[in-house]
Amino acid sequence: MKTETYNKIVLEHFENPRNMGEIKNPDAEAIVGNPVCGDVMKIMLKIENDRIKDIKFQTMGCGAAIASSSMLTELAKGKTLEEAKKITNRDVAVALGELPPIKVHCSNLAADVLQKAIRGWESGRD
């Protein structure tokens, strides 16, 4: 990983990712990937009273992908589903202190996987 292209926040989340791991029997989960770069993100949610009680991720990809996944979990944990639905790729990128333009797609994947998991949860309850 070329460290000169990443700021301290991105490096911190890459080197010490938050909420990485697995939730046994999650209430919701989703996987997204980018075939161009090869990044794959999986997210698992525990939901209680329409609130994200716990969130874990597993990401195979570059440092920006891991940092984006980590930051996404920090932004979403404890939020209601309605609040979490408002988290955008821009929110992830800004929270990371911006990503190099070639790595912005990583924040897109992070926001996409969260939205996909929430949609799956909601469609399963109809």
Side-chain angles (χ1 to χ4, degrees):
M1 183 168 96
K2 290 172 56 177
T3 57
E4 68 272 13
T5 61
Y6 294 111
N7 67 43
K8 289 179 182 176
I9 299 169
V10 174
L11 289 173
E12 170 61 24
H13 277 268
F14 168 66
E15 293 169 354
N16 302 293
R18 280 62 155 182
N19 305 301
M20 187 167 63
E22 188 174 5
I23 294 175
K24 299 289 184 200
N25 303 310
D27 296 314
E29 65 183 329
I31 299 174
V32 299
N34 181 326
V36 175
C37 68
D39 293 337
V40 177
M41 294 180 182
K42 178 179 182 181
I43 197 167
M44 294 146 277
L45 306 174
K46 268 294 185 194
I47 300 168
E48 284 185 14
N49 300 318
D50 287 331
R51 186 174 295 276
I52 298 173
K53 179 180 169 123
D54 197 11
I55 182 169
K56 299 279 188 210
F57 79 91
Q58 296 175 326
T59 294
M60 292 187 341
C62 67
I66 292 167
S68 293
S69 300
S70 174
M71 182 57 79
L72 172 78
T73 65
E74 290 285 283
L75 293 173
K77 194 170 192 174
K79 297 268 192 302
T80 66
L81 294 178
E82 285 305 311
E83 291 168 334
K85 282 197 264 188
K86 295 176 184 168
I87 296 172
T88 67
N89 62 317
R90 183 89 188 116
D91 296 329
V92 176
V94 168
L96 285 169
E98 297 302 326
L99 291 167
I102 196 164
K103 295 296 185 178
V104 170
H105 68 276
C106 296
S107 62
N108 292 346
L109 282 177
D112 289 350
V113 75
L114 176 63
Q115 301 312 320
K116 185 176 179 182
I118 293 171
R119 281 193 309 274
W121 162 258
E122 291 176 336
S123 67
R125 299 181 76 209
D126 293 338

